[in-house]
Structures are given as structure tokens and as C-alpha cells.
């Protein structure tokens, strides 16, 4: 068995183990909470559903949708981060760091507080628009100057736009106290209280983003080598980057529309996936999707018990986990210079 085949065997085993961990995480998310659910009730809620049994109703109407939404949002954010890190060749790139989440958020907050829109599908289109605007502004600002687009400039542009969009969001909330409580919990990032009906309108767009990211995995491998190398290998960089932008907008916009701006998942997970998959995006993307889903499901589970019986928004949990990781990666990259 040659080394390439051996590596693929190890990666396949790692991916299967990751999927089993995700399954265990989802089962734990369904079973543990303010109301404990036994495995027997969990199985019965699918095999012989009885709406007179409270535990089965909790599984079908609250716990299962919550776990599925957390998994979908986590996978989407992780994939968006992996694609961004390849295209920008920046290990710190993610939808939250580049201001894409903040752009989607300010658009959704404007729709809720200024226009009074509550429909999830309508909010999704506002999230897409805000994410697209933010992505365009980041790449435009990062491309200014003789040197063109660079990893440092794109991070600085993302930080500046995140601050701008955050200020706009706070300004809208200050002038509209009626929608303050409703929006504040959403802004912290949460999957609590989300229903299947809120997820369904975004599923086609999440699925399209995930499928495109996988189909173009070979292109992410080539771009990660550098623009000159990619051009030499016949890559149409403008087209590939434009498609990458569409993918990130679809994934990040859908995630924000459903769960609010959950930060730093897109930074943490691609680096963890790299430990298992190496630099090959044909493996790194599936690992990112599964590990991103697992991380958010487990973070949401931990958020229920950290200040029990009060639930902490999962966005606060991911920020607490991701901030030290962000500093570690930044220091590591600084040491390389």
C-alpha cells in the first residue's frame, strides 16, 4: 500500500469517526436539557409518536429541530470559513472576521426594526444582500493601493467594516426600543426557539453553497498555492473568486438569517480539519462540515448548563472558545514573518 492510499484510508477512518461523534452529539443535544429525555422516549418519538406524551412532543417540536439547525448552521459557517481561507490565502479569514456576518446582521436588523419584517424567507434575502454588500466592500477596500489585495489588508478592511456595521446596528436599536428585546437575543447568536419552519426556506441555499464548495474543491487546492501558481495552471481566478464569493454569501447569509451572527466557527473548524485532512480541500471540506456541525451542537448543549437554568446564547459560547484560538493563530502567523 503506497503512502497516498494509506493517507486516504486514515482520512476515511477519521471522517467516519467524526460522523459518529456528530451523531452522538445530536443524540446528547436531544436527550439533555431542562427536561431529560430517555433513549426509549427518543426512539418512540420516531417509531410510535404519541402527542400525549410530553417527552415525545419535546423531541419532535423543540429538541430535534434545534439540533438539526445547530448542525446546519455550524456546517455552513465552517465551510464558508474554509473557502475564504483558501481564496484569500489568509488563515484568519472567516465570515465573522471579514465583516460578512456583520453585514448580514445589519441588513436583518434594519428589516426587523425599521420595516417591521418578521418572515424568515424575507429576512433571508436581506441577510444575503447584507452579506454580499459586506463582501464586496471588504474586497474593494482590501484591493486599494499598489500592492493590491493582501492577507493583512483584507483583515483590516473586515475589522473596519465590522465596527461600522456594529455601530449602525446599535444606532437602529437605540431609535427603535420596541424591537430591542427581540433583536438583542438574535444578535447574540442562538438556535434556541428556532423551528423547522425557520430553517426550511434556507435549506436550498445552504445545500447549493455546500454542493458548490465540494464541486470546486480542486480549485481551492490550486488557489491555495498562490495566484501566480494558479494562473500558471490555467485557473480563471476572477471566475473562481466570484463563485467563492457566491458560496460564502449563500452559506453565511443563510446561517445568519436562521441563527443570528455566530462568530469564529469559520476560523476554528478549518484549522482543526487541517489537522486531519492536511492541505487537500477535497478532504478538508468534508471534515470542516462535519466538525463545524459537531462544534455548534456541543456548544449549544454546553450553553444550556453553564448558567443553569438560564440558557446562554450559543454565540457567546463560540466567542469564548474562538477568541483564544484566534489569538493563537494570529501569534503563530506573526512568528512566521
Amino acid at each position: 500500500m503506497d503512502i497516498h492510499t494509506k493517507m486516504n484510508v486514515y482520512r476515511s477512518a477519521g471522517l467516519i469517526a467524526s460522523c459518529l461523534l456528530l451523531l452522538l452529539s445530536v443524540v446528547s443535544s436531544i436527550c439533555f436539557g431542562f427536561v431529560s429525555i430517555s433513549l426509549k422516549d427518543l426512539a418512540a418519538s420516531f417509531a410510535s409518536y404519541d402527542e400525549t406524551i410530553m417527552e415525545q412532543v419535546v423531541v419532535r417540536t423543540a429538541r430535534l429541530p434545534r439540533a438539526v439547525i445547530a448542525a446546519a448552521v455550524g456546517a455552513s459557517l465552517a465551510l464558508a470559513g474554509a473557502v475564504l481561507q483558501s481564496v484569500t490565502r489568509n488563515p484568519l479569514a472567516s465570515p465573522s472576521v471579514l465583516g460578512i456576518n456583520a453585514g448580514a446582521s445589519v441588513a436583518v436588523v434594519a428589516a426587523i426594526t425599521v420595516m417591521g419584517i418578521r418572515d424568515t424567507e424575507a429576512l433571508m434575502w436581506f441577510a444575503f444582500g447584507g452579506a454580499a454588500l459586506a463582501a464586496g466592500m471588504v474586497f474593494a477596500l482590501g484591493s486599494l493601493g499598489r500592492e493590491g489585495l493582501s492577507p493583512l489588508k483584507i483583515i483590516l478592511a473586515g475589522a473596519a467594516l465590522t465596527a461600522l456595521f456594529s455601530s449602525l446596528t446599535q444606532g437602529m436599536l437605540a431609535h427603535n426600543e420596541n424591537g430591542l428585546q427581540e433583536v438583542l437575543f438574535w444578535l447574540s447568536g442562538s438556535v434556541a426557539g428556532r423551528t423547522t419552519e425557520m430553517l426550511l426556506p434556507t435549506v436550498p441555499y445552504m445545500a447549493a453553497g455546500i454542493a458548490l464548495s465540494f464541486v470546486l474543491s480542486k480549485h481551492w487546492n490550486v488557489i491555495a498555492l498562490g495566484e501566480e501558481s494558479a494562473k500558471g495552471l490555467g485557473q480563471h481566478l476572477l471566475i473562481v473568486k466570484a463563485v467563492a464569493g457566491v458560496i460564502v454569501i449563500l452559506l453565511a447569509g443563510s446561517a445568519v438569517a436562521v441563527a443570528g451572527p455566530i462568530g469564529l466557527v469559520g476560523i476554528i473548524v478549518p484549522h482543526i480539519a487541517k489537522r486531519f485532512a492536511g492541505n487537500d480541500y477535497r478532504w478538508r471540506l468534508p471534515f470542516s462540515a462535519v466538525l463545524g456541525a459537531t462544534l455548534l451542537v456541543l456548544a449549544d448543549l454546553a450553553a444550556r448548563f453553564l448558567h443553569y437554568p438560564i440558557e446562554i446564547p450559543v454565540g457567546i459560547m463560540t466567542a469564548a472558545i474562538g477568541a483564544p484560538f484566534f489569538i493563537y493563530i494570529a501569534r503563530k502567523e506573526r512568528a512566521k514573518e
Side-chain angles (χ1 to χ4, degrees), residues 69-79 255 265-266 269 288-289 291-297:
I69 289 170
V73 169
S76 296
L77 292 175
L79 283 173
V265 174
V269 175
S288 293
L291 294 174
T294 304
L295 173 65
L296 203 59
V297 170

Side-chain angles (χ1 to χ4, degrees), residues 53-142:
I53 300 176
M54 183 189 70
E55 287 80 4
Q56 295 186 28
V57 174
V58 169
V59 170
R60 293 285 288 267
T61 62
R63 295 281 178 82
L64 180 61
R66 181 171 180 168
V68 170
I69 289 170
V73 169
S76 296
L77 292 175
L79 283 173
V83 171
L84 276 173
Q85 287 174 19
S86 170
V87 172
T88 63
R89 290 176 291 112
N90 189 329
L92 296 176
S94 77
S96 55
V97 173
L98 297 190
I100 295 171
N101 281 0
S105 298
V106 75
V108 172
V109 170
I112 293 173
T113 60
V114 178
M115 304 177 191
I117 296 172
R118 299 292 187 276
D119 179 66
T120 304
E121 191 164 1
L123 292 177
M124 177 184 64
W125 289 107
F126 277 92
F128 286 157
L133 176 64
M137 292 177 69
V138 165
F139 279 91
L141 290 173

Side-chain angles (χ1 to χ4, degrees), residues 94-183:
S94 77
S96 55
V97 173
L98 297 190
I100 295 171
N101 281 0
S105 298
V106 75
V108 172
V109 170
I112 293 173
T113 60
V114 178
M115 304 177 191
I117 296 172
R118 299 292 187 276
D119 179 66
T120 304
E121 191 164 1
L123 292 177
M124 177 184 64
W125 289 107
F126 277 92
F128 286 157
L133 176 64
M137 292 177 69
V138 165
F139 279 91
L141 290 173
S143 300
L144 294 175
R146 294 179 180 178
E147 302 85 4
L149 191 66
S150 70
L152 177 60
K153 286 167 68 177
I154 199 170
I155 290 294
L156 292 175
L161 283 176
T162 298
L164 172 63
F165 290 140
S166 297
S167 298
L168 290 174
T169 299
Q170 292 171 9
M172 284 186 287
L173 293 177
H175 286 84
N176 193 325
E177 295 183 1
N178 293 329
L180 183 61
Q181 292 302 319
E182 178 183 351
V183 173

Side-chain angles (χ1 to χ4, degrees), residues 9 12 37 63 66 91 142 156 170 180 229 231 239 281 285 301-302:
V9 170
S12 298
I37 307 294
R63 295 281 178 82
R66 181 171 180 168
L156 292 175
Q170 292 171 9
L180 183 61
S229 298
K231 287 178 181 177
I239 295 174
Y281 277 83
L285 291 179
L301 180 59

Side-chain angles (χ1 to χ4, degrees), residues 209-235:
I210 292 170
L212 280 172
S213 66
F214 285 174
V215 168
L216 296 176
S217 57
K218 291 183 179 180
H219 295 278
W220 313 140
N221 282 339
V222 175
I223 288 182
L225 298 174
E227 292 197 1
E228 293 301 321
S229 298
K231 287 178 181 177
L233 292 170
Q235 290 291 310

Side-chain angles (χ1 to χ4, degrees), residues 37-51 53 55-57 59-60:
I37 307 294
S38 67
L39 291 176
K40 180 181 178 181
D41 285 325
L42 173 58
S45 66
F46 294 101
S48 55
Y49 179 60
D50 186 348
E51 60 184 16
I53 300 176
E55 287 80 4
Q56 295 186 28
V57 174
V59 170
R60 293 285 288 267

